[in-house]
Amino acid sequence: MISLLSRCALLAVFAFSSMSFADSLPDLKGRTILAVTENAYTPLNFVDPATGKGIGWEYDAMNEIGKRLNAKIDWHTSSWDTMIQAVKQGQYDIGMDGITINEERAKQIDFSIPYMTSQQFMLVRADENRFYDAKTFAANDDLQFGAQPGTTNFYVAVYNVLDGNEDNSRITLLDTFGAAVQALKTGDVDCVLMDATSARGYMGANPGAFKMVGGPLGTEEFGFILSPGSDLLTPVNAAIKSMKADGTLEALNKKWFFEYNQS
């Protein structure tokens, strides 16, 4: 687990940061914000096996945003395939699941400013020796991707690695991101695409089970999603900017992408 010293240091960063920006950020006067995530994207959001509660980078970041804006975060879970529509319809105020900012999604919902920049990599089993990059994977018709439909991972597999056919039989569709990783672990698929930070999270949580091969397959930015025209967009963006400026986001990166992987 994360060392006691590291936890104390991180708490100190949060406490100092929140106080430093309290006077300059919007005050939501105790408003409740309905937040939704999937709990299936380690280390951004997942279920703590020890407590059964949702934890991760996005939980910490959103809770900190609530503190800075004087708002209460009320957490909910949803499947990936219904999340964007639920936020669009106002069932939830804000959603997160490592959601890539792109034009198609921006037509349906509002995005916050980016809170993280990431690149897609190929996660494979540690003993994999049949391919070593996207080109050699694509050349072997026996190899299979695992992916959630409609996700960045799915589209990168289709358009950056395979032939651009979204019905390609070389992609096994799974209901959740975690199910795709489990299918990789059990040998039902041969590769899962994910950002490097999440890949390190899975490698850290499963020592000796996985490795990354090849180079980055594209750069993407993650943002929180909000209902179109939400009055929360400006306050949330202000909080994210303050967390970038005072080092809080970097502290979260260290906690979840480095120290957590060593636990």
Side-chain angles (χ1 to χ4, degrees):
M1 298 298 293
I2 303 169
S3 69
L4 179 60
L5 180 60
S6 296
R7 287 181 183 273
C8 291
L10 187 64
L11 288 173
V13 169
F14 283 174
F16 176 76
S17 301
S18 297
M19 289 186 295
S20 298
F21 283 89
D23 294 335
S24 60
L25 291 174
D27 184 349
L28 298 184
K29 302 184 184 303
R31 173 176 172 177
T32 296
I33 296 175
L34 303 181
V36 63
T37 189
E38 188 184 17
N39 279 353
Y41 199 3
T42 307
L44 296 184
N45 59 77
F46 61 105
V47 176
D48 184 348
T51 65
K53 296 181 178 180
I55 59 172
W57 193 104
E58 289 174 335
Y59 274 94
D60 281 358
M62 194 68 236
N63 288 333
E64 176 65 14
I65 288 171
K67 290 179 183 178
R68 295 186 183 215
L69 299 178
N70 186 22
K72 176 185 176 182
I73 308 301
D74 183 9
W75 286 100
H76 299 263
T77 57
S78 167
S79 64
W80 161 257
D81 58 350
T82 63
M83 187 182 300
I84 291 179
Q85 189 65 21
V87 172
K88 177 182 178 181
Q89 294 174 347
Q91 296 178 38
Y92 308 105
D93 297 312
I94 189 165
M96 63 213 73
D97 198 21
I99 302 175
T100 301
I101 299 171
N102 63 35
E103 291 184 7
E104 181 178 352
R105 291 170 182 160
K107 294 176 182 177
Q108 304 180 63
I109 41 80
D110 286 346
F111 274 105
S112 72
I113 60 174
Y115 60 80
M116 185 180 295
T117 300
S118 183
Q119 293 178 311
Q120 294 288 298
F121 283 84
M122 304 177 77
L123 186 73
V124 303
R125 289 181 295 279
D127 61 354
E128 181 60 71
N129 57 19
R130 295 168 297 171
F131 63 97
Y132 52 87
D133 59 12
K135 184 177 181 179
T136 51
F137 181 96
N140 187 339
D141 290 337
D142 293 331
L143 300 175
Q144 195 78 6
F145 273 120
Q148 275 180 288
T151 62
T152 297
N153 319 94
F154 171 79
Y155 291 120
V156 170
V158 170
Y159 294 103
N160 292 53
V161 182
L162 300 178
D163 59 1
N165 176 12
E166 294 185 14
D167 295 321
N168 194 309
S169 61
R170 291 184 59 186
I171 303 179
T172 297
L173 300 179
L174 287 306
D175 290 336
T176 68
F177 190 77
V181 177
Q182 184 61 29
L184 174 63
K185 190 173 185 179
T186 58
D188 295 321
V189 301
D190 304 297
C191 180
V192 174
L193 296 179
M194 66 180 71
D195 59 277
T197 48
S198 290
R200 286 195 293 266
Y202 278 104
M203 289 190 294
N206 301 271
F210 302 118
K211 66 181 179 181
M212 286 190 289
V213 299
L217 297 174
T219 300
E220 58 186 358
E221 293 181 316
F222 294 161
F224 299 115
I225 59 172
L226 300 93
S227 304
S230 172
D231 64 346
L232 288 173
L233 182 59
T234 296
V236 167
N237 282 344
I240 294 171
K241 289 178 181 178
S242 73
M243 291 163 68
K244 287 182 178 179
D246 66 21
T248 299
L249 295 189
E250 185 57 37
L252 287 179
N253 290 341
K254 183 178 181 182
K255 173 183 177 180
W256 289 107
F257 298 139
F258 298 100
E259 293 172 358
Y260 181 81
N261 294 342
Q262 301 302 317
S263 62

